[in-house]
Amino acid sequence: MEEQIKRLQEWIDGSESIVFFGGAGVSTESGIPDFRSVDGLYSQKYDYPPEEILSRTFFDRRPEEFYRFYRDKMLCLDARPNTAHQKLAQLEQVGKLRSVVTQNIDGLHQMAGSKRVWELHGSVHRNFCMRCKKPYPVEFIRDSQGVPTCSCGGTVKPDVVLYEESLDSRVLEGALADIQQADLLIIGGTSLAVYPAASLVNYYRGDRLVLINKSPTPYDRRADLAIAGPIGRILEQIQAEG
């Protein structure tokens, strides 16, 4: 692995427009559970499967049950950025990293100091009234009972992309543009199994593709460098210099 880290450092040093594409594995090191890991949310038992609870149909039909699950399992507000979040923020600060494209909804990249973050699946920190569009902080959802309701009487919905919902077009276009213009794409902490997010990798036109993940992914053979291991442990060995 030492040789792989050395090569990654050389590529980062020689790049000027890096994009990092990350998934749940970036957040698990901050204590946020991974939906699809063996001990993740999807292997636990509920009255309904988590995939069903987190669908737009379920949200519309059983909002109280949705929010009971959402508050219990999706709001990890005590989590703090880990080494991976911090290193990516440093790479942006020194002018190496163009942006972060993330499938996570926890806001930890911004908390670590990253400025240009494309949140493909939204964020728990943004919430809005479905009727009048009034914004609400995440604490409003956390502290409310039953279905959170706006002062106008409308339901307050988290700005997260549920199953059956489309990705935000502005976010998608921004992420695609950055990936297409990147000279180095680093993918970390994702199995690349969630679509359409995973398909964004196909738009990369650069020469060097790096994959960092604990387990194999469908894209490993396409990678110029594949490193097996926790994303934080790998990135903490990288020097962020302009």
Side-chain angles (χ1 to χ4, degrees), residues 40-59:
L41 295 184
Y42 280 19
S43 63
Q44 299 178 22
K45 301 298 181 182
Y46 298 93
D47 291 341
Y48 302 91
E51 299 99 323
E52 183 179 349
I53 296 176
L54 294 174
S55 70
R56 182 55 188 260
T57 296
F58 193 93
F59 174 85

Side-chain angles (χ1 to χ4, degrees), residues 58 77 121 171 202 214 221:
F58 193 93
L77 303 186
H121 297 150
V171 173
N202 297 322
K214 287 183 178 180
R221 291 185 178 181

